[in-house]
Amino acid sequence: MNFSIRRALGAFALLCLAPSSVLYAADTFPVTAAQMKALGITVQRLDRPVDIRGPIYPARVVLPLQQEQVISAPMAGLVDQLLVDEHQTIVRGQPLLHLNSPEYGEQQLRALEAASKSRLAQAAVVRERKLFAEGIIPQRRVFEAEAAASDAQARVRQASGALRLAGVDGAAIAQLIQSGVLKDALVLHSKGAGVVVSIEAKPGQRVAAADPLIRVADMSRLWLDIQIPAERANAWARNGQIVVVGRKATAKPLSLGAVVGEGQMLILRAEVTSGADQLRPGEFVQAQVPLAGTRGAWTLPLAAVVRQGGQAYVFVRTAQGFVAQPVEVVASSGPSVSVAGPLKAGDQIAISSVIALKAAWLGESGGE
């Protein structure tokens, strides 16, 4: 609408709404039903507020570091047999591979020797205590035997700890000490449930200590790294629910990156709260991020909103006329706009000839 038409509408509104020479500059001003009809003013009744889902941003599915485990070689040896395949779902404690290692045999032997010496030392303590009780030996001999038994037991614990670091569980160590039978191959087990994402070793391959063999990922917990423009760093709802577009998956915001990356983008990290089985680490998806302050927003035609001094207003029908109500524009799409403010269901909002109402509200000197 050009300036001359707007000025004519404003003048006509003043003539219709102000029978005297008084102009209304207050937020509330009278308008009769006849005047509304003459100006072509129509209203829309508010039904109920809606939640604005917010804009859509690109996101990448990320596996948290603590959700991935690397099964590495506890000692040098030869990979004898693989017991799992890539992409296989496994459970906690499941056997993964056999590793033949001379060092494993030496560790078992040290554990057996330590256990044997510990048994002898304990027997010596029993004998020395009996001799002391009969007055045959001094008490010093008892103390020396007890110290030797304590040292022998410490060596047993040390040898058992080395086997545990190699991946042997406590039950297997106890069975080894009890039976005295050495095992040829070390069986490596999974430390937790998950999916085998990669196998780094092959049967017959020689590996060194600490070489990665198998990678297992627990995908029950995933993150989304969402790219949002830096200028909208504070526009997202801290407690809102993020929706992954096209998937039955949702997430909750965790943190906002402190450094602006390429393209003036920030990373909003969110934790997937439902539908993690719909996502795969590394894939790119679209995430709909709710805006801050959009709960209880109202959808209106774009023409219903006017601006004055940088503030958005809508005109609410009252018993006497209209009141200019300040609102916040939270979203806009095509011919519609979503606003938030002190509005309620049942309010009647002017949606046409709003320029005439604004002119009547401000007077001739108040037009933009």
Side-chain angles (χ1 to χ4, degrees):
M1 183 179 295
N2 59 38
F3 179 76
S4 60
I5 296 177
R6 291 177 61 187
R7 187 175 181 85
L9 278 174
F12 181 60
L14 291 175
L15 291 174
C16 291
L17 301 180
S20 65
S21 60
V22 178
L23 298 180
Y24 293 92
D27 290 341
T28 301
F29 53 96
V31 179
T32 65
Q35 291 169 335
M36 288 179 58
K37 184 176 181 180
L39 291 172
I41 300 172
T42 58
V43 296
Q44 174 180 312
R45 184 182 180 88
L46 297 182
D47 182 13
R48 58 182 178 181
V50 295
D51 292 339
I52 307 302
R53 292 189 177 274
I56 296 175
Y57 299 120
R60 185 172 184 265
V61 182
V62 178
L63 182 71
L65 293 178
Q66 59 269 32
Q67 296 298 109
E68 183 178 8
Q69 58 171 307
V70 178
I71 308 300
S72 57
M75 57 192 70
L78 176 72
V79 177
D80 180 54
Q81 183 181 6
L82 292 174
L83 304 177
V84 294
D85 298 319
E86 284 189 344
H87 315 306
Q88 179 179 338
T89 301
I90 60 176
V91 298
R92 181 181 180 87
Q94 181 169 337
L96 301 177
L97 60 79
H98 287 172
L99 180 69
N100 286 332
S101 172
E103 185 180 344
Y104 178 47
E106 294 173 1
Q107 286 191 2
Q108 292 180 92
L109 183 59
R110 282 195 291 269
L112 289 177
E113 291 175 347
S116 178
K117 290 179 180 180
S118 178
R119 285 193 294 268
L120 291 175
Q122 290 295 334
V125 170
V126 173
R127 184 181 68 252
E128 296 294 276
R129 286 174 178 172
K130 182 179 180 181
L131 292 175
F132 172 71
E134 295 174 355
I136 300 176
I137 62 172
Q139 190 176 20
R140 175 181 56 82
R141 293 270 299 273
V142 177
F143 291 156
E144 291 174 350
E146 290 176 345
S150 179
D151 290 344
Q153 188 61 35
R155 290 188 177 91
V156 172
R157 290 194 294 269
Q158 182 184 31
S160 299
L163 287 173
R164 279 193 295 271
L165 287 176
V168 184
D169 58 27
I173 295 173
Q175 183 181 6
L176 167 68
I177 293 175
Q178 183 178 3
S179 65
V181 179
L182 302 181
K183 293 185 178 180
D184 296 333
L186 173 63
V187 181
L188 300 185
H189 296 79
S190 171
K191 299 177 183 178
V195 177
V196 178
V197 293
S198 67
I199 298 178
E200 310 292 337
K202 296 181 174 65
Q205 178 180 345
R206 292 190 178 274
V207 295
D211 281 354
L213 304 177
I214 295 177
R215 298 180 185 273
V216 178
D218 178 7
M219 299 186 186
S220 61
R221 183 183 176 213
L222 297 174
W223 286 343
L224 294 177
D225 278 356
I226 307 169
Q227 300 182 37
I228 64 173
E231 66 268 15
R232 302 191 67 86
N234 298 317
W236 52 279
R238 265 57 178 175
N239 298 320
Q241 184 183 72
I242 298 172
V243 177
V244 180
V245 179
R247 311 287 178 88
K248 294 181 179 180
T250 59
K252 65 177 181 180
L254 289 179
S255 61
L256 184 67
V259 179
V260 178
E262 296 182 1
Q264 293 298 301
M265 304 297 283
L266 279 170
I267 297 298
L268 172 62
R269 175 156 290 174
E271 181 176 1
V272 177
T273 54
S274 66
D277 58 333
Q278 302 283 317
L279 305 171
R280 293 292 180 269
E283 73 171 319
F284 287 90
V285 295
Q286 290 184 315
Q288 198 164 39
V289 182
L291 296 172
T294 59
R295 295 193 63 85
W298 306 88
T299 301
L300 295 169
L302 186 61
V305 180
V306 298
R307 292 189 176 273
Q308 174 62 26
Q311 174 65 56
Y313 292 87
V314 296
F315 293 105
V316 182
R317 181 76 167 128
T318 65
Q320 292 76 29
F322 283 90
V323 58
Q325 180 63 64
V327 294
E328 177 186 1
V329 177
V330 296
S332 179
S333 177
S336 299
V337 64
S338 296
V339 300
L343 303 174
K344 62 183 184 299
D347 283 350
Q348 298 182 45
I349 310 298
I351 60 172
S352 63
S353 297
V354 178
I355 292 296
L357 288 176
K358 180 179 179 182
W361 170 43
L362 297 176
E364 287 185 340
S365 62
E368 284 183 317

